[in-house]
Amino acid sequence: MSDFPILFSPIKLGPLEIKNRIGGSCTTTGGADINGYITEECLYSYAARCEGGAGFITIECTFATDWGAKTTSFGNPRISGRAYYEGMSNLAEAMKQMDARAFIQITPSFGRQGSGRLSGETPAAPSAIPSERPQDYEQRIMPRGYETRAQTMGGTTVPKVLTIEEIDYMERTFADAVAGARICGFDAVEFHSPHGYLIHEFLSPRSNQRNDLYGGSLENRFRFLRNLLVSARRRVGPDFTLGIRLSGDEHMPGAIHEEELIQVAKWCEELGASYIHLSDGSYEARKWFFPQDPFCFIEHAKNFKKELKIPLIVPGQHDPYLAEEVLRNGWADCITMGRQLVADQRTPGKWEQGEVDEVRRCLRCNVCLARFNRGLAIRCAVNSNVGREKYAPLYSTTSSGNLLRPLPEPFMPPCQNSCPAGLDINAYVLMASRGQMGEAYRYLKQYTPFPGVLGRVCPHPCEVECNRGELDDPIAINDIKRYIADSVMNEGLPDYLKKQCLPEKVAITRKEKVAVVGSGPAGLTAAYFLIKKGYAVTVFEAAANAGGMMAYGMPEHRLPSKVVKWEIDTIKKMGVEIKTNSPVKNPEDLKKKGYSAVFVAAGAQNSAKLNITGEDASGVLQALDFLKDVNSGKKPAVGKKVVVVGGGSVAMDAATCALRLGAGSVQVVCLECSPEEMPAQEDEISQAMEEGIKVDMSWGPKQILTSGGKVKGVELKRCTSCYNKAGAFAPVYNEKETRTVDADMVITAIGQRVDLSFMKDSKVKTTKRGTIDTADRSLATSVAGIYAGGDVTRGQGLMIDATADGKKAAVAIDCYLRGVDLPPAPPEPRLADIEEPAFQFHLREYKKEDRCPTEALAASKRKGNFKEINLGFANKETCVTEARRCLTCRCSAVRY
């Protein structure tokens, strides 16, 4: 059964039956030439949009007269006479052939929000009152750079006052345009009455201060819209659908507000309107005109719906779960999307097929609009094909199969390109910059089940590549990710987001079962994505608790167990079965037990050995064993003088744990010659030193000194270089330069090794390094149906690399079980280059801003406890401020 039964049920708008309750709202494409004629690109663009499964699509605002079009910007079509009928009829026909109803939005003029740049004429309006610059332009309603200096389309030009004769002319010719739309084959006409444009200007006392029949009382201010509707209905008769689009509130002083607009809607119903399509705001109140969330529309809809009998349509609904809730609760009868169908015109079809996660989500960045207002064709930051549908393979392959015009890939931010898991950093940081942590979390969960874990332990290679670093400091990407995840863990999500981000009991739609060996980051990530694809998944874990290195390899003060548990519990609630204390002897045995595919992700659980004299003495511990005991709740005894050998994160974790367990002194010795060379993260090193741990660089152990079989010290030898010219680990020693340090405990942390003893009877091939041999892209092993990933294939690696393997394996296993080829490898991305001219133009409005600080537990408060050290951002405001530093590279590179 569909998750969205109401959404995909039919509805009647007036006499017209629509196949489902999803429409495409008017979204400007620049689909006409400078004279208002429909272009070929426009035909293909709307045909593609209609093919995506929506019940109806409304084409962009169209002028009823040439006179009204004189004060437009570039690219608005016209239906002002028979010369335009051919293009319009071709457009309507193309749309309907794709199984969607063809709607057209018509306007008499833009009024004071028009522009005289093309014609040189002054826009005309009800009164000589200019449109003010937007009052909310600093509120990041879109990526910075889009008119944040804040002139509206018409600037602050004082409009001329419309005469009675001009008003009468528009009332007569508007009906001709509506009739023309019906002649051209459109199924419905929508009156362009919101957003501070001309019809709205008559309705609002803020812009209409006339003293004649068209001004003063609400009845008089409604007169213009009334006459347009009455004359249009008279021309087309009762059997044609006429809709009215209205703002729910103007949100400005002295303007028209919800109560009066509800009355306007009721009058339109009485006069024969077929539906009301609700919107909000105006160019003076852009925050509502270009909403970054759907809720302002919904709140208005609740109040309008109670007063109306005709269907009410609510726009801006990019989420099917919320849309279904809106319809189920009777807040509206139908929903529409505009920008989302630019980002992915197949959104409705994907919703209907249960492919919600496959939808390419709109960033609400308004690049599409920004380009139109500069006379440029529509483009999208996440959909490189929009506006170029004419050249898509469906239409433009030659007889040899070559594209007539190859389609470019969207610009990719360098941060995303450097992320092993391919997280859509631009998207979740943009959502965080608007304070929408739930929406930001949704983007994170599309790529990983562990945003809270990764927000603490990822070494964030993304920040090294961040374009912002070319101006001042890179964005604190990882800290933003952590704050997003923590806010959801602590505060929860609204129900509609829970259903997508934190679903419980995902429907099992596939007959095949999949087994996963190992419950670390790679294994659980694979399980997460496989169950989302409809497979029953069982995870076999040899240890007593799930989590692998997340649970056993990282101490509480680095990675709190409550974070790991919460994120694993969300996977369990989806229906993934995790069997602990369940070691697997041979992955082939699982296939014999009915599992159609197996993913081996057993990790690298053994510590590497030093292979030096004295390593077997009492008091020498391996770091992983030590950390496992600590994380299991044990309190292993530690010496008075502890030496930790190694320069990575595990070494720092072992050192700080030993100190917390009562060691008198802790000293770290490592081969690396500088903190920059050490594998440990900078804050791990500095925090260890803050606690009094000494870090000795350029030294390696020559032998462990013993007495009576127990450790008494370590003899060290000088390391003169750690890496060769190629960057490979190749330490060089000066054996003559040595020194001795006292110690009664030595913890070795020089790396991890894979243990494949559980696979000794398996036919799966291994490498000379002792790892499982797999294909590069598919992670397939030498045995059909068995896949492997994470540390068990690469050796010791990063957690983010392991999660990337888990997602890759889920895709490969799904393709294998469905008997289809892997998707082709993506082409090399076009990186958003800060030196590119359009990007430089965008950056003209940026100023240097300090990176927002995060908080850390003071060193004096860490002694003897395992409280988390890194505390992240102090509050939401700090996270939002830091996220606002993002250059929105993907958007910046395509906007101009």
Side-chain angles (χ1 to χ4, degrees):
M1 180 180 175
S2 170
D3 287 337
F4 318 112
I6 308 176
L7 203 54
F8 289 97
S9 63
I11 186 175
K12 274 197 167 186
L13 299 180
L16 186 67
E17 181 161 307
I18 312 294
K19 67 180 180 182
N20 58 41
R21 296 175 185 241
I22 303 171
S25 56
C26 166
T27 307
T28 298
T29 69
D33 65 19
I34 198 169
N35 295 311
Y37 291 98
I38 294 297
T39 64
E40 190 176 25
E41 283 79 5
C42 180
L43 293 175
Y44 282 107
S45 190
Y46 276 111
R49 200 175 299 182
C50 290
E51 183 264 341
F56 69 89
I57 297 291
T58 309
I59 76 159
E60 57 213 79
C61 189
T62 301
F63 283 95
T65 66
D66 294 332
W67 177 83
K70 285 183 179 180
T71 53
T72 180
S73 52
F74 296 92
N76 281 98
R78 305 181 198 178
I79 192 164
S80 53
R82 299 178 69 87
Y84 294 97
Y85 284 11
E86 180 181 0
M88 281 295 182
S89 62
N90 286 339
L91 177 55
E93 183 180 69
M95 294 169 70
K96 292 159 77 169
Q97 282 180 333
M98 293 299 176
D99 197 31
R101 297 290 193 175
F103 285 29
I104 180 173
Q105 189 180 85
I106 299 181
T107 185
S109 171
F110 280 174
R112 68 177 188 167
Q113 289 184 173
S115 168
R117 293 174 192 166
L118 285 178
S119 64
E121 294 193 12
T122 302
S127 300
I129 303 171
S131 179
E132 289 185 12
R133 55 191 287 175
Q135 300 302 303
D136 55 0
Y137 68 94
E138 291 289 356
Q139 295 186 22
R140 187 145 175 110
I141 59 170
M142 56 190 75
R144 296 183 214 180
Y146 171 60
E147 297 191 2
T148 57
R149 291 182 185 150
Q151 295 299 320
T152 58
M153 289 173 64
T156 56
T157 302
V158 177
K160 69 177 185 179
V161 178
L162 283 164
T163 66
I164 291 293
E165 290 75 21
E166 288 170 330
I167 295 171
D168 179 66
Y169 168 77
M170 285 190 288
E171 291 174 349
R172 286 185 287 104
T173 53
F174 191 86
D176 294 337
V178 173
R182 183 169 194 180
I183 291 169
C184 291
F186 285 96
D187 296 300
V189 169
E190 183 171 278
F191 288 38
H192 182 242
S193 315
H195 304 155
Y197 289 104
L198 185 63
I199 298 176
H200 181 120
E201 289 166 24
F202 272 95
L203 293 172
S204 171
R206 179 177 175 82
S207 50
N208 181 356
Q209 296 180 12
R210 300 175 71 98
N211 296 317
D212 56 18
L213 289 174
Y214 288 91
S217 67
L218 179 60
E219 289 86 349
N220 282 354
R221 286 182 274 123
F222 174 66
R223 190 178 305 278
F224 183 56
L225 175 54
R226 176 196 177 280
N227 291 347
L228 296 179
L229 179 54
V230 169
S231 61
R233 177 57 75 197
R234 187 179 297 123
R235 286 292 301 278
V236 297
D239 62 339
F240 186 72
T241 297
L242 297 179
I244 308 293
R245 190 159 192 190
L246 293 171
S247 288
D249 198 306
E250 197 174 352
H251 298 285
M252 292 296 288
I256 188 167
H257 299 300
E258 186 181 73
E259 183 178 355
E260 285 192 326
L261 284 160
I262 289 174
Q263 181 59 59
V264 168
K266 291 167 69 175
W267 284 336
C268 289
E269 178 181 59
E270 293 169 4
L271 293 170
S274 306
Y275 67 84
I276 300 296
H277 189 183
L278 205 56
S279 193
D280 211 24
S282 69
Y283 272 96
E284 291 184 309
R286 290 169 181 245
K287 180 176 169 181
W288 290 272
F289 184 9
F290 303 121
Q292 304 307 337
D293 67 63
F295 294 102
C296 60
F297 294 140
I298 292 172
E299 291 306 312
H300 286 311
K302 292 176 184 178
N303 297 326
F304 274 72
K305 181 61 183 168
K306 290 183 290 188
E307 302 293 333
L308 297 173
K309 296 183 179 65
I310 57 175
L312 179 69
I313 302 175
V314 62
Q317 305 307 306
H318 296 185
D319 182 277
Y321 297 101
L322 180 57
E324 183 74 11
E325 184 180 331
V326 167
L327 301 181
R328 184 175 58 252
N329 290 331
W331 299 334
D333 303 285
C334 190
I335 67 101
T336 55
M337 296 173 280
R339 292 166 292 176
Q340 177 55 41
L341 294 183
V342 173
D344 191 341
Q345 72 263 19
R346 292 190 171 90
T347 297
K350 291 177 180 178
W351 287 358
E352 188 171 23
Q353 293 161 20
E355 299 173 352
V356 177
D357 282 349
E358 305 305 315
V359 172
R360 186 170 47 234
R361 291 187 58 77
C362 171
L363 299 174
R364 300 184 190 259
C365 67
N366 294 319
V367 163
C368 48
L369 181 66
R371 287 180 57 89
F372 172 75
N373 284 340
R374 287 166 172 80
L376 303 173
I378 189 171
R379 293 292 182 265
C380 176
V382 298
N383 178 8
S384 62
N385 197 31
V386 73
R388 299 182 177 102
E389 291 87 354
K390 169 182 175 180
Y391 304 103
L394 177 65
Y395 307 115
S396 64
T397 48
T398 65
S399 57
S400 62
N402 296 320
L403 285 177
L404 294 177
R405 177 178 169 186
L407 296 172
E409 287 299 306
F411 285 96
M412 181 179 285
C415 56
Q416 181 177 348
N417 187 56
S418 64
C419 175
L423 300 184
D424 194 341
I425 296 167
N426 200 160
Y428 74 73
V429 172
L430 182 56
M431 296 303 126
S433 77
R434 298 168 179 159
Q436 297 175 3
M437 300 304 161
E439 287 292 335
Y441 187 73
R442 186 213 299 265
Y443 278 103
L444 282 166
K445 291 286 281 187
Q446 285 183 313
Y447 293 88
T448 177
F450 296 114
V453 170
L454 292 175
R456 288 167 166 82
V457 305
C458 183
H460 40 78
C462 50
E463 295 185 22
V464 176
E465 301 298 327
C466 175
N467 270 329
R468 181 82 203 203
E470 299 293 321
L471 300 180
D472 38 51
D473 292 310
I475 307 300
I477 296 170
N478 215 46
D479 292 310
I480 293 170
K481 182 195 305 137
R482 171 191 168 147
Y483 186 87
I484 292 164
D486 284 0
S487 68
V488 171
M489 184 174 68
N490 296 327
E491 300 169 19
L493 287 169
D495 287 343
Y496 82 94
L497 280 174
K498 282 181 187 176
K499 291 173 183 176
Q500 188 170 350
C501 302
L502 304 171
E504 297 190 7
K505 289 299 177 186
V506 174
I508 303 302
T509 58
R510 301 284 304 181
K511 63 181 180 181
E512 303 93 343
K513 298 188 301 179
V514 181
V516 174
V517 180
S519 68
L524 289 180
T525 298
Y528 170 77
F529 285 108
L530 283 165
I531 198 168
K532 290 180 79 171
K533 294 177 184 293
Y535 295 97
V537 184
T538 303
V539 180
F540 296 88
E541 171 55 55
N545 295 302
M549 291 298 291
M550 294 184 292
Y552 290 111
M554 305 198 70
E556 185 79 6
H557 60 284
R558 286 290 177 203
L559 177 59
S561 57
K562 68 177 183 180
V563 176
V564 178
K565 182 179 185 303
W566 188 80
E567 296 196 321
I568 293 177
D569 282 347
T570 63
I571 297 173
K572 289 180 180 179
K573 289 176 182 177
M574 293 170 69
V576 172
E577 183 182 11
I578 302 178
K579 293 185 175 183
T580 54
N581 296 309
S582 300
V584 172
K585 294 183 179 179
N586 187 335
E588 282 100 316
D589 292 342
L590 293 172
K591 292 197 71 179
K592 294 175 185 177
K593 293 179 181 179
Y595 291 98
S596 302
V598 180
F599 178 55
V600 180
Q605 302 291 342
N606 290 347
S607 292
K609 288 198 170 186
L610 293 168
N611 295 319
I612 59 175
T613 301
E615 189 170 8
D616 296 328
S618 175
V620 179
L621 301 178
Q622 292 183 336
L624 290 185
D625 293 336
F626 175 68
L627 291 173
K628 186 173 182 179
D629 284 346
V630 173
N631 288 339
S632 297
K634 301 176 183 177
K635 291 188 176 181
V638 293
K640 293 182 179 179
K641 295 182 178 180
V642 178
V643 171
V644 179
V645 180
S649 296
V650 174
M652 295 301 152
D653 289 342
T656 51
C657 282
L659 196 65
R660 281 160 175 74
L661 291 170
S665 68
V666 180
Q667 182 175 348
V668 175
V669 295
C670 64
L671 301 176
E672 289 80 15
C673 302
S674 67
E676 290 73 26
E677 285 189 347
M678 292 173 66
Q681 294 185 49
E682 181 181 348
D683 64 335
E684 294 173 333
I685 300 169
S686 61
Q687 288 167 0
M689 295 174 71
E690 287 173 1
E691 295 178 17
I693 295 171
K694 184 179 180 182
V695 179
D696 261 345
M697 289 171 278
S698 300
W699 292 99
K702 185 173 184 178
Q703 65 173 321
I704 295 174
L705 307 174
T706 63
S707 176
K710 296 181 180 180
V711 172
K712 72 170 186 178
V714 183
E715 184 181 4
L716 304 174
K717 56 184 177 181
R718 172 68 75 181
C719 178
T720 57
S721 69
C722 199
Y723 299 94
N724 61 23
K725 291 182 179 180
F729 182 71
V732 177
Y733 299 98
N734 178 358
E735 300 280 353
K736 294 180 180 180
E737 186 177 356
T738 63
R739 55 186 279 239
T740 299
V741 296
D742 294 336
D744 54 6
M745 175 180 278
V746 175
I747 302 175
T748 64
I750 61 166
Q752 294 146 235
R753 296 291 180 266
V754 174
D755 180 7
L756 295 182
S757 59
F758 72 99
M759 294 183 63
K760 62 183 178 181
D761 297 324
S762 173
K763 296 178 181 178
V764 171
K765 290 183 180 179
T766 58
T767 68
K768 292 179 181 179
R769 297 187 302 122
T771 58
I772 296 178
D773 192 13
T774 61
D776 287 340
R777 288 189 58 232
S778 69
L779 302 184
T781 69
S782 58
V783 176
I786 296 182
Y787 296 76
D791 290 356
V792 80
T793 62
R794 68 174 78 246
Q796 178 183 353
L798 300 174
M799 198 172 293
I800 188 118
D801 290 316
T803 62
D805 278 1
K807 186 175 183 183
K808 188 189 298 185
V811 172
I813 290 170
D814 176 49
C815 290
Y816 166 74
L817 295 177
R818 290 189 293 112
V820 300
D821 293 335
L822 272 178
E828 282 294 314
R830 294 190 305 158
L831 295 184
D833 183 0
I834 197 170
E835 299 300 328
E836 197 267 337
F839 207 148
Q840 284 292 306
F841 183 65
H842 170 62
L843 291 177
R844 73 198 186 282
E845 298 185 359
Y846 278 79
K847 297 178 181 178
K848 289 189 175 183
E849 299 175 53
D850 291 335
R851 178 168 164 143
C852 291
T854 55
E855 297 192 337
L857 191 67
S860 60
K861 296 182 179 180
R862 302 177 205 163
K863 189 173 181 180
N865 65 69
F866 285 84
K867 293 179 181 178
E868 187 172 14
I869 299 175
N870 292 323
L871 303 178
F873 292 122
N875 49 47
K876 182 177 180 179
E877 290 70 28
T878 307
C879 180
V880 169
T881 300
E882 177 60 22
R884 285 172 61 94
R885 295 180 64 242
C886 176
L887 300 179
T888 57
C889 297
R890 177 189 291 132
C891 309
S892 305
V894 295
R895 64 188 318 112
Y896 300 112

